Amino acid sequence: MKASLSRRLFRTILVIGLINVLVTLVAVDYVYEDVEDTILLRELALERDFLQAAITGPQPQSWQTAVLTATYLPAGASPDALPALFLHRSVPFSAEVQVGERTYLLSIERTATPPGVLYLAQDITLMESRETVLQVGLAAFAIAALALALLLARLGTRRIVAPLQELTRHIARIRPGTPFARLETHYREAELADIADMLNRLLAELDAYVQREKSLVSLASHELRTPVAVISGALDVLEQRDSLGAADRDTVARIRRAADEMRADVEALLKLARRADKDEQLEQVDLAAALKGLVEQQNCGTPAQRSRVHLRTAQPGPVVAADPALVRMLLRNLLQNALRHTRGAVRIDLGAHSLSIADEGEGLPDRVRKRLASPGDRHVPDDGLGLFIVRLICERLGWLLQIRRSDAGGTVLDLLFLPDATRSIQE
């Protein structure tokens, strides 16, 4: 299953937005932490220098402000007099400490003059609370940024894909069989305008090609019908003279049958060359009668093969709404292909909705089987037109051709009719 371009674009734009939000959050948090640490440590260093200069002698001293608690303990003095905040701390010591609901930044270092230990505790509770507010704000920003990224991804995808969808709708309106409508080239995007322009050039060439093909079909129709009409007219003259012997009359009858088949084949091929018309007039074709007539004609034309064909038809036989010329050409090609490429018996079974032709040959070549299994293949084969024409007629009639078996024991071809295109003779 192919991936949707709009989905890929949506995911790409959304991922880019998410990456931008993530990078922004990490950068803001890093900068804030760095600024906070720099300010606090710098302030604490300045306070230590100030207090160390304020020490007057080798006796304990304490200082207290709104956010600073400091104690000097001379060397050798008992630490029991220290505030609980400083008890049992190693020297030196520097870290954030949580005491109840308050947060302190502790710094404990030795002094040289006079010798001792200076204990500092800066209350940073307010700053920590502001950091919590900042984190909540960043979370709200992240949610808003994600929602905005989602919205921009959807809008951006629609804006990018909309011209492509419009171009697709224009292409979908093109219908074979009529002069191809040219695409509009008013797109603001240069790439899409170039695509539409190239497609218009292709459509112009296709129009010219189709017109040449139609002219060729009309010319072939005239050129092929004329010699067939001449042959039929000459046969009429011979029969009117009534000067032929029995053997000659049989020969003339065979020539007339061949001419009639040629005329029917020409008409059928010309119909295949033209596009199917929805208003095409169809006739009721009795498949059982058509097969019987085809087998009798085959037996008369080649008496040596009279015993090879075995026909079995359903009672009552099916009647289909189709073009009689195409149906006769289809059945004749199936039968002649089986007789021409095998030496054994050919069995034809006609059911209510299917026709099976089984031979006793060596099976169809792989290239033929692949060609029959590929309905979209329009390449004209160079190894015979029989089954190629059969497939084209089946596509035109809306019937299904299947290879049930093709091996050393022979080939079985099944022709399946549409259920709603058949009815029994009794109806």
Side-chain angles (χ1 to χ4, degrees), residues 355-407:
L355 170 67
S356 296
I357 298 182
D359 60 45
E360 298 177 356
E362 298 180 354
L364 294 174
D366 291 339
R367 63 180 182 277
V368 178
R369 285 202 296 265
K370 292 179 180 179
R371 190 160 60 237
L372 291 178
S374 303
D377 185 7
R378 291 294 186 272
H379 176 69
V380 179
D382 54 5
D383 54 357
L385 293 174
L387 290 179
F388 178 74
I389 293 176
V390 165
R391 196 188 68 186
L392 292 181
I393 296 176
C394 287
E395 293 177 3
R396 180 66 173 266
L397 297 177
W399 296 355
L400 180 62
L401 180 66
Q402 293 181 336
I403 304 175
R404 192 196 322 163
R405 180 173 60 84
S406 182
D407 51 29

Side-chain angles (χ1 to χ4, degrees), residues 46-68:
L46 292 174
E47 293 287 353
R48 178 180 297 105
D49 293 342
F50 176 78
L51 294 176
Q52 188 169 352
I55 298 175
T56 58
Q59 66 271 357
Q61 290 182 257
S62 296
W63 298 269
Q64 183 72 44
T65 67
V67 294
L68 182 68

Side-chain angles (χ1 to χ4, degrees), residues 290-316:
L291 280 171
K292 291 177 181 178
L294 179 62
V295 172
E296 291 176 0
Q297 183 178 349
Q298 180 69 32
N299 291 337
C300 292
T302 53
Q305 297 182 354
R306 182 181 298 272
S307 61
R308 292 186 59 191
V309 181
H310 304 277
L311 175 62
R312 184 176 62 182
T313 62
Q315 297 298 329

Side-chain angles (χ1 to χ4, degrees), residues 27-229:
V28 169
D29 185 68
Y30 174 80
V31 170
Y32 178 82
E33 292 291 339
D34 182 70
V35 170
E36 180 186 36
D37 292 344
T38 301
I39 292 175
L40 292 178
L41 293 177
R42 180 61 178 169
E43 287 181 351
L44 206 58
L46 292 174
E47 293 287 353
R48 178 180 297 105
D49 293 342
F50 176 78
L51 294 176
Q52 188 169 352
I55 298 175
T56 58
Q59 66 271 357
Q61 290 182 257
S62 296
W63 298 269
Q64 183 72 44
T65 67
V67 294
L68 182 68
T69 300
T71 299
Y72 168 71
L73 193 66
S78 174
D80 295 338
L82 289 173
L85 184 62
F86 300 126
L87 288 176
H88 310 299
R89 305 290 183 185
S90 60
V91 181
F93 179 83
S94 179
E96 287 187 11
V97 176
Q98 186 76 27
V99 179
E101 297 181 354
R102 314 297 295 181
T103 303
Y104 297 91
L105 180 62
L106 297 186
S107 177
I108 304 175
E109 292 186 4
R110 298 185 183 277
T111 60
T113 304
V117 180
L118 181 60
Y119 295 84
L120 298 178
Q122 186 173 0
D123 190 345
I124 59 174
T125 303
L126 179 60
M127 184 168 289
E128 290 295 319
S129 64
R130 301 310 299 173
E131 182 179 4
T132 302
V133 173
L134 175 64
Q135 291 176 347
V136 173
L138 288 177
F141 166 77
I143 294 174
L146 292 178
L148 181 61
L150 182 63
L151 178 61
L152 292 178
R154 186 172 299 277
L155 294 178
T157 300
R158 290 180 180 178
R159 183 177 179 83
I160 295 174
V161 175
L164 294 175
Q165 293 175 337
E166 182 182 0
L167 181 60
T168 302
R169 288 192 294 269
H170 289 167
I171 296 175
R173 286 197 291 267
I174 298 175
R175 291 292 180 268
T178 58
F180 298 129
R182 299 301 185 263
L183 302 176
E184 297 181 6
T185 57
H186 64 278
Y187 300 100
R188 289 180 296 179
E189 297 81 3
E191 294 80 3
L192 291 178
D194 291 341
I195 292 175
D197 184 63
M198 293 302 297
L199 285 174
N200 283 335
R201 295 182 186 180
L202 175 62
L203 292 175
E205 294 180 4
L206 288 176
D207 262 341
Y209 176 79
V210 170
Q211 293 303 321
R212 288 195 301 269
E213 292 296 310
K214 288 182 177 180
S215 300
L216 179 60
V217 169
S218 299
L219 180 61
S221 174
H222 178 269
E223 295 297 328
L224 293 175
R225 287 171 177 170
T226 299
V228 173

Side-chain angles (χ1 to χ4, degrees), residues 224-225 227-232 235 239 249-267 297-298 300-301 332 336:
L224 293 175
R225 287 171 177 170
V228 173
V230 171
I231 294 173
S232 299
L235 293 176
E239 290 178 348
R249 284 194 295 271
D250 291 341
T251 301
V252 169
R254 291 181 59 187
I255 297 175
R256 182 175 293 280
R257 285 195 299 269
D260 292 340
E261 289 181 6
M262 187 181 299
R263 182 186 299 108
D265 289 348
V266 169
E267 295 294 335
Q297 183 178 349
Q298 180 69 32
C300 292
R332 184 169 62 252
Q336 290 179 354

